DNA sequence: ACTTGCTATATTGTCGACAACTTGGTGTTA
DNA sequence: TAACACCAAGTTGTCGACAATATAGCAAGT
């Protein structure tokens, strides 16, 4: 589903964005009839969209009762980052052996462009840049399950926390250094180290966020 | 969805079992109309069931074309076990800090009962016993995402590989020792070690299966 | 013979209506 | 007043029909 084909695809994306960006507030109930009029599609389409949102753990459904948007909590964020640490650590490990030399070179180039931005003090682009960095490594793992779990599953939730609890970096410059070391480890084809560094990177990121919440 | 409520629930489970147990063969196409007559429900119900199967990566769907059961391959099995290693390793780590003393005691009792079975040479029950062991540790992690990813997502696929490529143990007695050491680490609240041992345990298991396939 | 374009057919996607269920409220009874 | 049964309104679950799309086969042209 790289680009949406069916009405259900488009509705799923639109609804997901509404939730992630906070236009539909966390914890609120999703009425099928209401949404079907809002998006001008039949309830069947809304139902399919909600089912997909349930697979990403963005909504929770109970039979014969309905669907609610998940509630955000510090505990939930911690659990999310535990899973991220685990999966992205493995992704980095696999990337160290499975990425082609060319892909690694591209990754290095991306890092260089980030360095230029950081030097110029553009912390906004760093946000998207960080995401892009992680994307490439996850894709570099060449592991279908890993890729889909992170992209289709966890990343939307991470983004939801980011947007709604309002966390645009900083940690920009230090994150850059961590990225650099990870790329170096991948370049050296050191799977063990790449995993370790990625896990640390995400752990630090979690700690930084936790600190900001308290 | 501990026990099925709606027709979609039941159909999902029935269809899933048919696929996992091999009564519907891997790689084959799923016709909605055909299945709706077979299970005596409407196409809407079949559609929901297929959507759920897609979330567990048991079937793949293409818009306007249809759904196919995934094809099993050695490569696919390896990727699956890489994810398992990552997630269950984290589960063991978290279980070491989050399980209650009582839960750990129960786990020890389970292990003891396995020991008796192994001594008696009942390798059949060991199969279910192994699953049960892993279940408890995953639950012990108390991490919602981890739990649902493994139970709702990966375990059905693992079972599908087990059944269709016909792997009833052995590795029974050695696996028992590994389980014992993991429980010991959890008992000592040694998260680091528990993760390491669980990852090794799954890695060995993967190697054993790979060896059998070649 | 090979390609191109069309048609026929079958399959999936979408819709509106009906059935089953949950929930909150009302009235009755001890 | 408390407890229970029941009813009514609204929501979700399920169904059958129709619309849109893909695929295979055939026909025509080069």
């Amino acid at each position: 589903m790289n680009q949406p084909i069916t009405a259900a695809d488009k509705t799923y994306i639109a609804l997901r964005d509404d939730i992630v960006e906070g236009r539909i507030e966390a914890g609120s109930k999703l009425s099928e009839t209401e949404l079907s009029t809002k998006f001008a599609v039949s309830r069947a389409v809304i139902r399919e969209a909600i089912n997909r949102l349930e697979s990403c753990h963005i909504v929770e459904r109970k039979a014969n009762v309905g669907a609610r948007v998940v509630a955000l909590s510090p505990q939930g964020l911690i659990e999310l980052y535990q899973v991220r640490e685990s999966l992205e650590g493995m992704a980095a490990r696999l990337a160290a052996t499975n990425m082609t030399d060319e892909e690694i070179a591209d990754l290095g180039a991306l890092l260089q462009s980030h360095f230029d931005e950081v030097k110029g003090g553009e912390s906004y682009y760093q946000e998207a840049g960080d995401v892009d960095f992680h994307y490439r490594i996850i894709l570099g793992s060449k592991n279908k399950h890993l890729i889909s779990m992170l992209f289709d599953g966890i990343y939307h939730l991470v983004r939801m926390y980011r947007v709604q609890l309002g966390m645009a970096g900083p940690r920009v410059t230090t994150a850059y250094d961590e990225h650099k070391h990870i790329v170096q480890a991948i370049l050296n084809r050191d799977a063990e180290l790449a995993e370790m560094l990625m896990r640390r990177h995400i752990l630090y990121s979690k700690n930084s966020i936790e600190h900001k919440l308290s």
Side-chain angles (χ1 to χ4, degrees), chain A:
Chain A
M1 212 234 305
N2 249 345
Q3 66 223 43
I5 307 286
T6 67
D9 291 339
K10 295 169 198 160
T11 306
Y12 161 67
I13 292 177
L15 184 54
R16 190 190 65 197
D17 285 351
D18 275 359
I19 293 174
V20 168
E21 316 277 344
R23 289 184 290 277
I24 295 177
E25 68 181 340
S28 63
K29 185 167 187 320
L30 294 179
S31 160
E32 294 181 358
T33 53
E34 185 183 329
L35 291 173
S36 80
T37 61
K38 172 176 174 183
F39 288 101
V41 291
S42 80
R43 266 186 58 225
V45 172
I46 295 291
R47 253 161 155 306
E48 179 164 342
I50 290 181
N51 279 334
R52 292 196 208 171
L53 288 172
E54 193 189 10
S55 322
C56 337
H57 304 266
I58 288 179
V59 310
E60 289 169 346
R61 264 181 68 187
K62 270 197 300 188
N64 288 314
V65 174
R68 307 194 76 87
V69 179
V70 293
L72 303 185
S73 72
Q75 178 60 24
L77 185 64
I78 290 172
E79 291 186 12
L80 199 58
Y81 267 70
Q82 287 167 343
V83 175
R84 253 195 93 187
E85 180 188 328
S86 161
L87 289 179
E88 290 209 42
M90 179 57 81
R93 165 185 288 266
L94 297 175
T97 53
N98 292 342
M99 280 180 89
T100 66
D101 292 338
E102 195 184 348
E103 287 169 337
I104 298 177
D106 284 353
L107 188 61
L110 180 72
L111 200 65
Q112 181 61 42
S113 79
H114 289 176
F115 177 71
D116 298 340
E117 286 170 7
V118 171
K119 210 173 48 180
E122 310 177 40
S123 76
Y124 172 76
Y125 281 107
Q126 174 63 18
E127 172 66 29
D130 181 68
V131 171
D132 202 8
F133 177 81
H134 286 266
Y135 266 37
R136 298 221 192 179
I137 290 181
I138 292 162
L139 285 177
S141 75
K142 311 283 173 77
N143 184 311
K144 236 185 333 182
H145 297 282
L146 222 43
I147 293 170
S148 106
M149 279 182 164
L150 286 164
F151 288 173
D152 303 337
I154 288 190
Y155 261 54
H156 299 296
L157 257 181
V158 171
R159 195 157 65 93
M160 186 167 166
Y161 272 102
R162 281 231 181 98
V163 170
Q164 304 212 14
L165 302 189
M167 330 164 143
R171 248 182 62 73
V172 177
T173 51
T174 60
Y176 168 78
D177 279 337
E178 290 162 21
H179 286 184
K180 198 173 71 174
H181 291 141
I182 292 171
V183 172
Q184 190 63 49
I186 292 177
L187 192 61
N188 294 339
R189 302 296 188 180
D190 188 338
E192 200 82 28
L193 183 61
E195 173 167 18
M196 241 175 175
L197 291 175
M198 179 60 89
R199 288 184 67 158
R200 291 274 162 96
H201 174 54
I202 291 172
L203 201 58
Y204 291 157
S205 167
K206 187 192 76 174
N207 289 341
S208 154
I209 288 172
E210 273 185 289
H211 183 264
K212 231 179 285 184
L213 285 184
S214 58

